[in-house]
Every structure is written in C-alpha cells, then in structure tokens.
Amino acid sequence: ATELGPASPRRVGALRRNSLTGEEGELAHVSNWPLYYLFCFGTELGNELFYILFFPFWIWNLDPLVGRRLVVIWVLVMYLGQCTKDIIRRPRPASPPVVKLEVFYNSEYSMPSTHAMSGTAIPISMVLLTYGRWQYPLIYGLILIPCWCSLVCLSRIYMGMHSILDIIAGFLYTILILAIFYPFVDLIDNFNQTHKYAPLIIIGLHLALGIFSFTLDTWSTSRGDTAEILGSGAGIACGSHVTYNIGLILDPSLDVLPLARPPITVTLCGKAILRILIGMVFVLIVRDIMKKITIPLACKIFNIPCDDVRKARQHMEVELPYRYITYGMVGFSITFLVPYIFFFIGIS
C-alpha cells in the first residue's frame, strides 16, 4: 500500500508526531488512500481520542453500568499489557524494511500489542455486558466482534508498528485475561460503588500499581500511558462511588431486564448531542487546568527544572503525579461532576 519516496502533494504528511520524543514519521507515497484512511481509523480505536469520547458516551447516553464495567476491563487489560511489554522488551519492527506511518508509540516495546488487546477486549466485553441486559439479536454482536478486532489488529501491521506475532500475542493474552477476570467484574463494580472505604482503596491500589510500573524499565511513553490509564480508572470508580451514594445515578432493577431500546426522537437525539458537547467541553477544561497546575507543582516539589516541559515529564516524580492526578480528575468528572451538571440544568 505504501512506498518510500520524496515528498509529493499526496504524501503522508500528517503523521502523528510524538511531542515527548520529537520523533516524526517517514515520508511515504500512498497508492491506496481508502485503505490508508480505513486503517488510520482502525488505529484511532486504540488511542486517547477514542477513549475520551467512547467511555463518556456510554456513561452519559447509553448505560452507566455497562460503561463503568467496560472501564474496569479496559484498565485491567491495558495495565497488564503495558507491564508485560516492559518485561518482555521486544523491540518494534525494524524500519526498513517496514515503513512506519505512525511514530507516536515508537519508543515503547512491541509485544504484546496493546492496541490489539484493547481492540479485542472492548467489543467482546460490550457483547458480554449488553446481551441479556438489552434486547437485540446476538448476531449483531457476533458480527461486531471480528470486524472491530480485525480492523484494529490489521491497522497496527499496516502502520508498521507491530509484527503479526505481536498481534497474535495481544489477542491471545486478552482472551486469557478475560477468561480469568471477567467473572469478577460485577464484584469489582459493586465494591467500587458500595464499599465505605472504596475510594481510599481504589486510589491507593492504582497509585501503587503506577509506581510499580515506573520501576520496570527506562523511560518510554508507556510510563505515562500506564499512569493515565490507572488515573482514569481510579477517577471513574471514585466518581461512581459518589454518584451512587447521593442517588444521582441509579441502575435499573433486575426486574425490568432486559431493557428495550427507547424510541429515537428529536428530543432524545438533541439531549444526547447536548450532553456530549457540554460534557466534553467541561472534561477538556478540567484536563487543561490540571495539566497546568500539576506539572509546575511537581517540578517545584521535587526540584526538577521546568523550563523544558518535555524533559521534565520524563522524570517519574513529574509524570506519575501529573498523569495520575490529571486523568483522575478527568475520570471523576465523567462519572460525577458532569452528570451533576446534567442534573442541574435538566438534561440528565
């Protein structure tokens, strides 16, 4: 689909530059643009932009219970995948012969592919969590799983970021994790909501896991990604604890299951769009404010020069609290602050 060559009007010039390492991708001619854009979409299904839209959409508009439990599974799968990468330490495919159309995660190790793990865990978990809870033909889920999983997995090979072995390892690793831990997802979610000391336990456990992951190997973007994942999971769990205890969001009783899809009306769609717009603006404002506060504060506390933010963030003392606190507040906003705003203005 691609070949190396000089810059041209239709070269791949909008590659996702890694702002932390300064690395940029190769210039390449693309002869099959529909395939290129298809796999760009597939790889985005495992990136931050997708997650920050996907999980809030489930929690705000579809089913908070399914959204929370998807987050629990995602945090577990991604954390184990990131840590396993740093234990195995298999390098990315060499270039050449591979043409790397993406370099954002190039500083991380390769096996297992966490994109493949996410692309396997999310669709399978969606079907497991919704079938029987919602009324829909199972065939829809059986079509969704291979399509979603194949698109994400093949996109990583096309982009030059993983070998076929990395993809297979990520897929099989995810199946193993789901087989072992999926039976406990309900228990974990109920604990997060109902246990008196759940917030303290959640914050302490996720912080300890973050510190452990930072000691596995030298710095790479996986360090910050892992802290971001753990912080988001902790924030969403703590937010769900607060919303449950004040009665802001209550899950439907088991007596009314399976749930039927409500009729699609202009009012329903309008409220959904309004919730997404208001919610995402608030979440992005929270993320930006916390980033501007936590990085200089961590530099000051640990006496780390802050004139070069990129270098400062490569210190564990800065990156761990910055990512953990910032995305912890993002997660807390998603499950408590934003739903409270919806309730206050009458669009919940």
Side-chain angles (χ1 to χ4, degrees):
T2 62
E3 60 179 358
L4 290 175
S8 69
R10 299 205 68 192
R11 65 181 173 83
V12 181
L15 301 181
R16 192 179 181 202
R17 181 176 178 270
N18 191 325
S19 61
L20 294 178
T21 63
E23 188 176 3
E24 296 183 352
E26 305 171 24
L27 300 180
H29 288 301
V30 175
S31 58
N32 192 329
W33 284 91
L35 191 65
Y36 170 76
Y37 287 121
L38 175 66
F39 285 136
C40 283
F41 173 75
T43 204
E44 282 300 323
L45 293 178
N47 289 338
E48 179 185 351
L49 177 61
F50 167 72
Y51 297 137
I52 207 169
L53 292 171
F54 177 75
F55 293 127
F57 185 81
W58 267 100
I59 292 171
W60 298 339
N61 290 323
L62 297 179
D63 191 333
L65 181 143
V66 173
R68 294 192 311 267
R69 295 181 181 184
L70 279 172
V71 171
V72 170
I73 295 169
W74 171 73
V75 169
L76 178 64
V77 167
M78 293 296 288
Y79 176 77
L80 292 176
Q82 294 284 25
C83 289
T84 304
K85 276 185 179 182
D86 293 331
I87 293 173
I88 297 177
R89 302 183 184 182
R90 179 184 173 90
R92 296 279 181 181
S95 177
V98 167
V99 178
K100 293 191 176 181
L101 299 180
E102 177 192 314
V103 295
F104 189 80
Y105 299 104
N106 201 39
S107 63
E108 298 181 12
Y109 292 113
S110 186
M111 179 184 284
S113 167
T114 47
H115 268 77
M117 294 181 71
S118 171
T120 302
I122 288 179
I124 292 177
S125 301
M126 284 171 57
V127 174
L128 290 174
L129 290 168
T130 57
Y131 187 70
R133 179 175 174 82
W134 287 87
Q135 298 178 27
Y136 68 90
L138 180 59
I139 188 64
Y140 292 171
L142 297 181
I143 293 173
L144 173 70
I145 291 172
C147 291
W148 186 316
C149 183
S150 299
L151 179 60
V152 176
C153 291
L154 293 176
S155 73
R156 304 311 289 161
I157 299 174
Y158 178 90
M159 291 291 175
M161 298 306 293
H162 286 288
S163 67
I164 296 176
L165 185 60
D166 298 336
I167 299 299
I168 294 174
F171 174 80
L172 295 178
Y173 193 22
T174 303
I175 298 299
L176 176 63
I177 293 171
L178 290 176
I180 295 173
F181 291 103
Y182 181 79
F184 301 100
V185 171
D186 291 0
L187 181 65
I188 295 171
D189 183 52
N190 291 332
F191 172 84
N192 291 343
Q193 285 193 302
T194 61
H195 195 278
K196 182 179 180 180
Y197 299 108
L200 294 177
I201 296 172
I202 293 165
I203 293 172
L205 177 61
H206 284 230
L207 186 59
L209 292 174
I211 294 172
F212 169 76
S213 69
F214 269 77
T215 62
L216 289 177
D217 196 15
T218 57
W219 181 88
S220 72
T221 53
S222 69
R223 305 278 72 76
D225 292 342
T226 305
E228 183 176 315
I229 291 165
L230 291 170
S232 301
I236 287 174
C238 291
S240 67
H241 177 85
V242 176
T243 55
Y244 175 83
N245 282 277
I246 67 174
L248 184 62
I249 298 178
L250 296 176
D251 298 319
S253 65
L254 298 178
D255 299 336
V256 300
L257 300 181
L259 302 171
R261 179 182 61 82
I264 298 177
T265 62
V266 174
T267 302
L268 181 70
C269 294
K271 283 188 175 182
I273 294 172
L274 196 59
R275 283 193 289 265
I276 286 295
L277 292 176
I278 295 174
M280 290 311 305
V281 167
F282 185 85
V283 165
L284 293 176
I285 290 174
V286 168
R287 187 182 69 165
D288 191 58
I289 291 174
M290 295 306 300
K291 179 179 178 179
K292 292 184 182 301
I293 292 174
T294 53
I295 293 178
L297 182 61
C299 289
K300 185 175 182 180
I301 292 174
F302 295 103
N303 294 320
I304 295 173
C306 199
D307 50 334
D308 189 336
V309 175
R310 188 173 69 183
K311 289 184 178 180
R313 284 172 56 182
Q314 294 184 13
H315 291 82
M316 183 188 77
E317 297 86 352
V318 175
E319 189 163 36
L320 180 58
Y322 148 59
R323 296 273 193 160
Y324 191 86
I325 296 173
T326 298
Y327 286 91
M329 280 302 302
V330 166
F332 188 77
S333 300
I334 289 171
T335 48
F336 173 63
L337 296 180
V338 172
Y340 187 81
I341 293 174
F342 295 160
F343 174 79
F344 183 77
I345 63 179
I347 61 170
S348 58

